[in-house]
Amino acid sequence: MKKIFIIAIALIIASCSSNLEDLNKNTKDPDSVSGESLFTGAQKALVDQVVQINVNENNTKLWAQFLQETTYTDESNYDQVTRTIPENLWSAIYKDALKDLDEAGKIITETTYVSPEDQYTNNKLFIIEIMKVYAFSHLVETFGNIPYTESLNIEILTPIYDDGMTIYKDLITRLTTAINGLDTNQNSFVIGDNIFNGNVASWKKFANSLKLRMGILLADADNTFAQTTVESAILSGVITNSDENAHMHYLSSAPNTHPVHTNVVLSGRNDFVAGATLIDMMNTLNDPRRPLWFETISGNYIGGEIGSPSAYSNHSPLSAQVVAANAHGVILSYSEVQFLLAEGAARGYSTGDTAANHYTNAIRASIDEWGGSPTDASTYLAQPTVDYTMLIATQTWRQVIGTQRWISLFNRGPEAWTTIRTMDYPLLATPTEAVSGFPNRYTYPIVEQTINATNYATASSAIGGDLAETKLFWDKF
C-alpha cells in the first residue's frame, strides 16, 4: 500500500511539472515570423524615420528652417546632444530598418512557398535590396563614414567604419544590379508593401530615380562618375509623373498614422509653427502653396524667428492637410526628379530637355502635388522673381534651382537639408542662440565613442573631425 501511495504521488508531481512547463509557453506570439512581415515592418520604420518631425529623432525640418519651435528651442539652435538625436536615428536605421530588411531577405530565400509566390522570390529580394540601398545612403548622407561591410553581422560588436565615397559608389553598383534584376512581367509582394503594393514597374522607376539622386549628389566630387550614373538612370526610366511618387500609405487611425499627425495632433501639443525663413521667402514670391501648408494669423502668414521661442498663437501653424493622419509619407517625387534633371541639364548632362523646362515642370508638379491649380502655377512662374530665363541672367543656376528645390521639398526634412548642403542656397538665418555653425552632418552617437571607441576615433579623423560643421565627401562648395 505504501509503495502504491508513493507511485501515485510521483505521478501527480510529474503531471504537475508537465503542466507548469506548459504554462511557460507563449501561445499568443508566433514561433517564427515571415520574411514578408519583417519587410513590412522595416519599410514602415525606415519611412517613419525619414518623414519624422519628433525632435528626439529627426531635426532636419528645423535645420532646413521650414519650422520653428514654440517653446523648447534647442534643436532649432543646432543642439544635437541634449536629446541624443544622432543615436536615436542611428539605432532606428540600423536596428529597426536595415537589420530587419537583411533578415527578411534571408528568410524569403530559405522559405519553400506552396503558392504562386514561388515565382516572385527574386523580385522580392531585389526590392529589399533597393530599400537597403536607400537606408544606407541616408546614413552616409547624414554621418559620412559609417559601419557598412561589417554592420549587419551580429557576431561583430565593434564594426569598422568604411569610407563614405567607397560606400556610396558601391551602393550605386548594388542599385544598378537590382534595377537590372527586376522582372516587370512578374509580381512581388502580394501584401505588405505599403509603398507600391508590389508593383515591380513602380519599384524599378523608384530605383532609377534614387540612382539619379545619388548620382547628382556626387557631381561636385566626381563629375565623370556622376554623369555616367545620372544618364544611365534616365535611360533606364525614372519617375515621369506625380502618380508614380514613392510614398508610404499611412492610415487614418493609430498606430499607422503619419508621424507628423502623431506628433502634432495625437500628442495634443503645439510645438511647431512656420519658420520665418520659409514664410518670408514665400510671402515675397506670392507662393500659392502657403494656404496648402499653413494657416494664417489674422489673414497673414507669419513665421517664427529662427532659434527663438515663437508663441503658437502668434505664428502660422501647419495646415490640416500637412498634419492629416493619412498624409503621404513621400520619399521621392516627380517634382524632385524634375529638379534633379534641371541640375543635370545645367551641368551639361544629357537629360532629354533644358534646365529651364525641367525647372518649370518641377514647380508645376510641386504645386499640383499639394492641390494647387494649373492657373496658380502659371501665375507663379510668370513672375520675374521665379521665371528661370529671367533669373539666370543675374543669378547662378545653383541659386535659381537651389532656392525653388528647397521650397518644393517642404515637409521632407532630410532631402531639403541635403539640397541646402549641395547647392548652398537659399541663404539661411543664423539661429539666435546657435550652439554650432550650420550642421553639415549629424555627429556620431555618443555610445559609439565608448563601445566602439577605436573605430570611432579612426572614422572621426578620416572625415576631418566629428563636428557638426565638418563637410562630407560630396560637399565641395
Side-chain angles (χ1 to χ4, degrees), residues 219-342:
D220 290 331
D222 188 338
N223 185 62
T224 300
F225 180 87
Q227 183 171 357
T228 300
T229 300
V230 166
E231 292 177 355
S232 170
I234 295 169
L235 186 63
S236 183
V238 296
I239 291 171
T240 57
N241 62 74
S242 298
D243 290 336
E244 297 172 344
N245 288 356
H247 66 265
M248 173 68 70
H249 295 265
Y250 288 105
L251 304 180
S252 57
S253 57
N256 295 310
T257 59
H258 194 292
V260 171
H261 177 81
T262 301
N263 285 279
V264 174
V265 178
L266 297 184
S267 70
R269 299 173 62 90
N270 295 324
D271 289 328
F272 305 101
V273 292
T277 303
L278 177 62
I279 285 293
D280 291 350
M281 177 77 74
M282 297 181 82
N283 285 341
T284 299
L285 298 175
N286 299 305
D287 198 304
R289 288 164 289 194
R290 284 174 297 174
L292 306 176
W293 296 346
F294 301 105
E295 296 178 5
T296 61
I297 300 297
S298 300
N300 298 309
Y301 294 99
I302 303 173
E305 182 181 14
I306 304 302
S308 297
S310 301
Y312 188 84
S313 59
N314 296 334
H315 300 89
S316 294
L318 293 166
S319 70
Q321 179 180 192
V322 174
V323 303
N326 60 349
H328 291 169
V330 180
I331 58 172
L332 217 159
S333 68
Y334 172 60
S335 58
E336 181 186 0
V337 166
Q338 284 297 310
F339 273 120
L340 293 168
L341 293 175

Side-chain angles (χ1 to χ4, degrees), residues 47-120:
V47 178
D48 279 357
Q49 174 58 42
V50 171
V51 304
Q52 186 60 262
I53 199 174
N54 189 314
V55 294
N56 295 293
E57 300 178 41
N58 188 339
N59 293 160
T60 51
K61 294 177 188 180
L62 295 169
W63 293 353
Q65 299 188 0
F66 290 151
L67 304 175
Q68 173 54 39
E69 294 165 288
T70 56
T71 306
Y72 307 104
T73 62
D74 291 345
E75 293 70 38
S76 300
N77 285 295
Y78 305 151
D79 183 348
Q80 300 187 45
V81 177
T82 300
R83 299 180 191 270
T84 64
I85 298 145
E87 183 175 334
N88 295 336
L89 183 148
W90 185 277
S91 176
I93 302 296
Y94 274 119
K95 179 175 67 68
D96 300 332
L98 278 168
K99 188 56 189 171
D100 280 1
L101 286 170
D102 193 56
E103 190 65 21
K106 292 177 181 177
I107 293 173
I108 288 173
T109 299
E110 296 169 357
T111 298
T112 301
Y113 294 96
V114 293
S115 72
E117 286 187 349
D118 274 328
Q119 59 191 319
Y120 307 152

Side-chain angles (χ1 to χ4, degrees), residues 126-317:
F126 285 128
I127 289 169
I128 289 171
E129 178 74 345
I130 291 165
M131 290 301 292
K132 287 168 73 174
V133 168
Y134 176 75
F136 270 123
S137 69
H138 182 61
L139 284 169
V140 175
E141 292 163 15
T142 301
F143 292 99
N145 293 9
I146 58 167
Y148 178 62
T149 54
E150 296 181 349
S151 63
L152 301 181
N153 186 339
I154 61 173
E155 301 298 325
I156 300 176
L157 301 181
T158 56
I160 62 170
Y161 286 58
D162 296 277
D163 173 70
M165 177 65 91
T166 303
I167 296 170
Y168 214 71
K169 288 185 175 181
D170 185 62
L171 290 173
I172 290 173
T173 299
R174 290 171 60 176
L175 191 58
T176 300
T177 300
I179 290 167
N180 293 337
L182 287 172
D183 183 353
T184 56
N185 294 316
Q186 298 289 348
N187 208 329
S188 62
F189 291 93
V190 177
I191 58 172
D193 172 14
N194 292 314
I195 295 179
F196 290 123
N197 297 315
N199 187 304
V200 178
S202 294
W203 273 107
K204 190 165 187 173
K205 287 193 173 185
F206 166 71
N208 278 311
S209 301
L210 177 59
K211 184 177 176 180
L212 165 68
R213 179 202 285 173
M214 294 175 71
I216 286 288
L217 189 74
L218 296 181
D220 290 331
D222 188 338
N223 185 62
T224 300
F225 180 87
Q227 183 171 357
T228 300
T229 300
V230 166
E231 292 177 355
S232 170
I234 295 169
L235 186 63
S236 183
V238 296
I239 291 171
T240 57
N241 62 74
S242 298
D243 290 336
E244 297 172 344
N245 288 356
H247 66 265
M248 173 68 70
H249 295 265
Y250 288 105
L251 304 180
S252 57
S253 57
N256 295 310
T257 59
H258 194 292
V260 171
H261 177 81
T262 301
N263 285 279
V264 174
V265 178
L266 297 184
S267 70
R269 299 173 62 90
N270 295 324
D271 289 328
F272 305 101
V273 292
T277 303
L278 177 62
I279 285 293
D280 291 350
M281 177 77 74
M282 297 181 82
N283 285 341
T284 299
L285 298 175
N286 299 305
D287 198 304
R289 288 164 289 194
R290 284 174 297 174
L292 306 176
W293 296 346
F294 301 105
E295 296 178 5
T296 61
I297 300 297
S298 300
N300 298 309
Y301 294 99
I302 303 173
E305 182 181 14
I306 304 302
S308 297
S310 301
Y312 188 84
S313 59
N314 296 334
H315 300 89
S316 294

Side-chain angles (χ1 to χ4, degrees), residues 426-461:
L427 302 178
L428 301 181
T430 300
T432 54
E433 298 180 6
V435 300
S436 74
F438 182 75
N440 290 310
R441 58 183 292 275
Y442 273 36
T443 53
Y444 288 126
I446 295 173
V447 67
E448 283 292 295
Q449 300 176 32
T450 53
I451 294 178
N452 197 11
T454 300
N455 291 322
Y456 158 79
T458 301
S460 298
S461 176

